[in-house]
Amino acid sequence: METTLAIVKPDGVKRGLIGEILKRYENKGLRLKAAKVIVPTLELLEKHYEEHKSKPYYKPLIQYMSSGPVFAMVLEGENAVKIVRLLNGATKVEEALPGTIRGDFASSTTFNIIHGSDSIESAKREIALWFPELA
Ligand code: CDP
Ligand code: MG
């Protein structure tokens, strides 16, 4: 069975959207396998976003992600990776359709409420980073 990592980012936690977001994943049939509320360390975030290191948005992104508690979760289900990405919506704020988490709640491409792993390989790498205790 496929597993993926989703993270309610600090703005999503501050706005009280953890329950709303988890409900959407569960309604779609995904199962919650592990979850925690943490303030991620810079070390964890630098590893998590290492492919974005050269991007102009990298520094603000790391600052934003370390600005408060996040809700990290491991979700399991058939096609879990793709389904979470579909429910999350497009990265660019102007392309995130209504009915998706970003489409309904985000008004900025950087401060966009939710993260989802983009492939099965990324999911494995990210779950190992955020939930080493599951290994
Ligand atoms: O999160 P997702 O996989 O949809 O997008 P990404 O391209 O992997 O980018 C990671 C994160 O960087 C996004 O979720 C945004 O928070 C941020 N980002 C940004 O601030 N500006 C961009 N032009 C692209 C991404
Ligand atoms: Mg990504």
Side-chain angles (χ1 to χ4, degrees):
M1 191 61 74
E2 203 167 296
T3 53
T4 192
L5 181 81
I7 304 168
V8 182
K9 297 181 176 185
D11 52 339
V13 172
K14 278 191 197 105
R15 287 170 59 186
L17 293 172
I18 293 172
E20 167 70 33
I21 290 169
L22 182 56
K23 188 177 77 178
R24 290 175 181 224
Y25 296 146
E26 289 190 316
N27 282 349
K28 187 71 179 169
L30 299 173
R31 286 173 300 279
L32 185 65
K33 298 295 291 181
K36 59 182 161 194
V37 176
I38 56 164
V39 181
T41 62
L42 291 179
E43 191 192 355
L44 172 59
L45 292 170
E46 281 164 9
K47 284 183 188 150
H48 178 77
Y49 281 124
E50 67 188 2
E51 68 183 281
H52 301 272
K53 200 155 189 171
S54 62
K55 298 287 187 346
Y57 56 80
Y58 177 77
K59 269 200 171 164
L61 173 63
I62 299 290
Q63 256 174 6
Y64 154 52
M65 286 296 293
S66 61
S67 67
V70 303
F71 183 72
M73 65 195 117
V74 178
L75 294 156
E76 180 187 72
E78 250 178 73
N79 298 308
V81 170
K82 278 194 179 156
I83 286 171
V84 165
R85 298 279 296 184
L86 272 176
L87 295 176
N88 287 1
T91 307
K92 288 187 183 166
V93 65
E94 69 275 22
E95 290 173 8
L97 296 175
T100 66
I101 294 164
R102 287 170 174 168
D104 289 348
F105 300 112
S107 54
S108 151
T109 294
T110 298
F111 309 109
N112 60 357
I113 306 282
I114 191 70
H115 167 82
S117 308
D118 66 5
S119 66
I120 292 174
E121 294 67 41
S122 299
K124 283 190 185 135
R125 186 183 78 86
E126 293 174 3
I127 290 168
L129 268 179
W130 288 80
F131 291 89
E133 64 273 23
L134 296 182

